[in-house]
Amino acid sequence: MNQRTSGPTAPPRRSDATRTAILDAARERFAADGYERATIRAIAKHANIDPSMVMRYYGNKEGLFAAAVAIDLRLPEPGSLNRDEVGRALVTHFLDMWEENEVLTALLRVGATNQAGAERMQGIFADQLLPLARRVCPDPEQAPARAALASSQLLGLALTRYVLRFEPAVALAPEELVAWLAPTVQRYLTAPYPA
């Protein structure tokens, strides 16, 4: 009887490497060129593959974009956060993500100019930030508005620091940004409704 032996893990399949190269190239092109100007041909050239391979794996530009910007914000579990520290935790978390993740910047660039990008961003925030807002806000019916207000601060920071690169926003240290923004995000999520 032929027994399988457990040996070293098999090397990644060539198709996995091709998909990774396509997605990496797509993220870079979408970030640099925006959705409208990024082409399948330019993305394929950037990945050093034939454009037909992009179409084979992702169907069209919309499918490629959706795959390239599939983002898990990796937000902390709502139950693990101290309600009084949620603003600080969120601002710190988002700064850490933006500092290390060009995908969010690409999505923000595209979302500002393209309906598909805007819808993708809306979905990500609705699916991932809204549950946290529901957990910490005083009235669950206000959670969507409060999550939108918190998003306005987080995305506004990202736009000025990572896309438009306003020098004063770029120059601020992460600790300074947290000190400035955390109280505002905290207020949006947990303060009583303004009279």
Side-chain angles (χ1 to χ4, degrees):
M1 189 167 226
N2 218 355
Q3 294 284 329
R4 288 188 148 195
T5 59
S6 61
T9 306
R13 294 186 355 214
R14 191 165 167 219
S15 63
D16 293 339
T18 301
R19 285 177 198 267
T20 299
I22 292 169
L23 290 177
D24 289 346
R27 288 178 186 122
E28 287 187 38
R29 294 285 29 107
F30 286 131
D33 303 334
Y35 182 83
E36 300 301 330
R37 291 194 334 240
T39 65
I40 294 290
R41 187 172 304 284
I43 292 165
K45 182 178 180 183
H46 194 94
N48 294 317
I49 61 164
D50 189 88
S52 66
M53 295 300 288
V54 177
M55 303 303 281
R56 175 180 171 198
Y57 288 121
Y58 298 101
N60 55 31
K61 188 160 110 172
E62 292 79 17
L64 176 59
F65 178 72
V69 297
I71 297 173
D72 178 0
L73 296 176
R74 301 186 317 262
L75 293 176
E77 280 297 317
S80 71
L81 291 175
N82 177 337
R83 186 176 185 275
D84 296 329
E85 291 292 319
V86 70
R88 177 171 291 284
L90 277 178
V91 174
T92 302
H93 179 77
F94 275 97
L95 275 173
D96 289 346
M97 285 198 72
W98 262 297
E99 291 290 330
E100 69 182 41
N101 189 337
E102 286 291 316
V103 177
L104 282 171
T105 304
L107 183 56
L108 185 59
R109 283 180 196 268
V110 173
T113 60
N114 176 271
Q115 185 61 33
E119 288 171 3
R120 188 80 178 137
M121 196 138 209
Q122 291 162 7
I124 290 167
F125 275 79
D127 293 345
Q128 298 179 49
L129 186 59
L130 189 54
L132 190 139
R134 282 196 175 103
R135 171 89 175 164
V136 299
C137 79
D139 180 351
E141 288 185 21
Q142 297 169 359
R146 289 172 179 263
L149 290 168
S151 296
S152 74
Q153 295 299 302
L154 298 167
L155 295 175
L157 167 63
L159 184 65
T160 56
R161 185 174 170 92
Y162 302 105
V163 176
L164 300 175
R165 303 198 50 79
F166 288 6
E167 183 52 39
V170 173
L172 286 168
E175 313 80 57
E176 292 176 285
L177 289 166
V178 171
W180 279 104
L181 289 178
T184 301
V185 172
Q186 181 73 36
R187 183 174 59 82
Y188 283 154
L189 292 173
T190 63
Y193 187 79

